[in-house]
Amino acid sequence: MVRLSPIVATLLTGASALSAVKDLLPTNFDDIVLKSGKPALVEFFAPWCGHCKTLAPIYDELAGAFEFASDKVTIGKVDADDHKDLGRKFGVQGFPTLKWFDGKSDTPEDYKGGRDLESLTAFITSKTSLKPKTPHTAPPAVQMLTDSTFSASITGSKHALVAFTAPWCGHCKTLAPTWEKLATDFVSEKEVLIAKVDCEAPNAKATAQEAGVKSYPTIFYYPEGSTTGVPYSGGRSEEDLVTFINEKAGTYRAVGGGLNPLAGTVPSLNSIVETLKSGGASAYAEFEKAVGAAGDKYAEYYGKVAKKSEENAGYVEKEYTRLQGLLKKGGLSTDKVDDLVRRSNVLSVFRGGEQGKTEL
């Protein structure tokens, strides 16, 4: 059998030579893991294992997050293909296998959680009370669901789109960045949930089986008011998925997370706006009734704009310019940006149906 040097093995598993993951060998395992009095999470891997290669960058990131506390916890790995005796000693039968050692005994606890960074981080925090230190990046917008959280998340209170995936699946890897973008696009929509289930994670297999998942990725849409999934068979581009959610949830998101030109507008009022310029007092009276009947927050804004523009012919252009200036200046909360875009879209109707001209 060809033996791989530690450097080659590291490269093959996708780990960085500068990784904070501790390489464990028969010569140092006992001192670092069993006798140090310091707990350790140990991955038993094989360089040729596909699942191990998938886990490698996540495990590196995990170790980096707890590197500041290297005197309190060890994140290590064993090439159990090269050091089979260590693997056999702890009952390793497949790869990757993760075990938690308390630093005082040689009887580890099997790790049975998900292999995503969030699950691994939560596990170490629960064992050590240490909180990870990570770069200031936005947390994933996609919500990972497990056997213990699925039913609590899919309650019918939201429109949910759930991707059932497997870590080794090529199509799932292709979908992953698009899925994260989709979740980010709808992050401010409280009635929408974009989630994912790792069907091979021990803590999520039962959910995948109950859903009847037989291939990856499988996407189910759970409508508001229902806990029964409907298979999604549409396109998998960000645009396709955004359009689907908008149609189902009644939202107006655009690719990239902004609002599309229809956000804030009320179709039943748009046609009446056209009559205001030449319809006189009777047109305004009819419009006022229509605004009241619409019963919508931005319908009220239609009424305000109509009244102001009746009093001042230049109001619409002046107000539109003011709102565009605020948007360009930036520094606003997401909710405030959404409100200004909706108001701008309404003003565009009064400007002559030029929706979509809002400049961000």
Side-chain angles (χ1 to χ4, degrees):
M1 177 184 292
V2 177
R3 298 291 182 184
L4 299 173
S5 72
I7 293 177
V8 173
T10 297
L11 291 173
L12 287 175
T13 55
S16 167
L18 299 177
S19 171
V21 178
K22 185 72 174 178
D23 285 305
L24 300 172
L25 308 167
T27 54
N28 66 9
F29 190 94
D30 286 3
D31 288 340
I32 294 175
V33 178
L34 303 182
K35 301 176 182 179
S36 66
K38 180 173 60 175
L41 182 66
V42 179
E43 175 201 4
F44 294 83
F45 74 96
W48 46 260
C49 163
H51 294 310
C52 301
K53 293 176 184 178
T54 299
L55 177 62
I58 298 172
Y59 206 63
D60 277 349
E61 193 171 352
L62 177 74
F66 287 97
E67 188 174 14
F68 75 97
S70 58
D71 59 331
K72 296 181 176 65
V73 65
T74 296
I75 311 296
K77 68 180 190 291
V78 174
D79 181 346
D81 188 50
D82 195 19
H83 306 297
K84 289 182 172 62
D85 288 345
L86 272 179
R88 280 194 290 265
K89 180 177 180 180
F90 298 105
V92 174
Q93 297 180 338
F95 304 117
T97 292
L98 292 103
K99 293 180 179 284
W100 176 259
F101 295 79
D102 63 9
K104 302 174 184 177
S105 72
D106 60 358
T107 304
E109 171 189 342
D110 288 336
Y111 172 77
K112 298 179 180 179
R115 294 175 188 165
D116 57 281
L117 182 62
E118 183 179 358
S119 298
L120 289 162
T121 299
F123 176 80
I124 291 179
T125 297
S126 71
K127 291 292 188 181
T128 64
S129 297
L130 294 169
K131 294 184 178 180
K133 289 186 178 180
T134 56
H136 294 289
T137 56
V142 174
Q143 185 171 333
M144 293 298 300
L145 301 180
T146 64
D147 296 338
S148 61
T149 63
F150 189 89
S151 59
S153 300
I154 309 299
T155 61
S157 62
K158 297 182 178 183
H159 296 271
L161 197 62
V162 183
F164 292 80
T165 65
W168 49 262
C169 164
H171 292 304
C172 300
K173 294 176 183 178
T174 299
L175 178 65
T178 301
W179 208 248
E180 183 63 29
K181 289 178 183 177
L182 179 69
T184 302
D185 290 345
F186 286 92
V187 72
S188 61
E189 299 288 351
K190 306 307 180 186
E191 304 305 314
V192 174
L193 170 67
I194 308 299
K196 186 157 51 171
V197 174
D198 179 354
C199 300
E200 295 222 334
N203 66 346
K205 284 185 176 180
T207 295
Q209 290 172 356
E210 186 175 343
V213 175
K214 297 180 180 179
S215 62
Y216 309 113
T218 291
I219 301 173
F220 280 112
Y221 166 63
Y222 295 84
E224 186 178 41
S226 173
T227 57
T228 301
V230 179
Y232 171 80
S233 57
R236 294 178 185 171
S237 70
E238 184 182 359
E239 183 177 3
D240 290 331
L241 292 162
V242 167
T243 298
F244 176 82
I245 293 295
N246 282 338
E247 290 175 351
K248 296 296 184 180
T251 48
Y252 294 92
R253 290 293 153 189
V255 170
L259 288 170
N260 67 32
L262 297 178
T265 64
V266 181
S268 63
L269 299 179
N270 292 347
S271 59
I272 306 177
V273 168
E274 307 239 349
T275 69
L276 296 181
K277 293 180 181 179
S278 58
S282 61
Y284 277 94
E286 180 187 351
F287 187 69
E288 187 175 347
K289 290 180 181 178
V291 166
D296 179 90
K297 173 183 177 181
Y298 290 95
E300 294 178 5
Y301 187 62
Y302 272 80
K304 175 183 176 181
V305 173
K307 183 176 181 180
K308 292 281 187 179
S309 60
E310 184 182 17
E311 297 170 353
N312 179 0
Y315 171 79
V316 170
E317 286 298 330
K318 183 178 180 180
E319 181 65 4
Y320 182 83
T321 301
R322 185 183 76 84
L323 297 189
Q324 294 304 295
L326 291 173
L327 289 168
K328 286 181 179 179
K329 186 176 180 180
L332 304 171
S333 68
T334 300
D335 287 345
K336 185 61 177 177
V337 169
D338 284 353
D339 177 60
L340 293 181
V341 171
R342 287 188 174 98
R343 291 174 185 269
S344 294
N345 287 344
V346 172
L347 288 167
S348 290
V349 175
F350 283 85
R351 295 175 76 218
E354 298 179 20
Q355 292 121 300
K357 301 290 186 178
T358 299
E359 301 173 11
L360 292 177

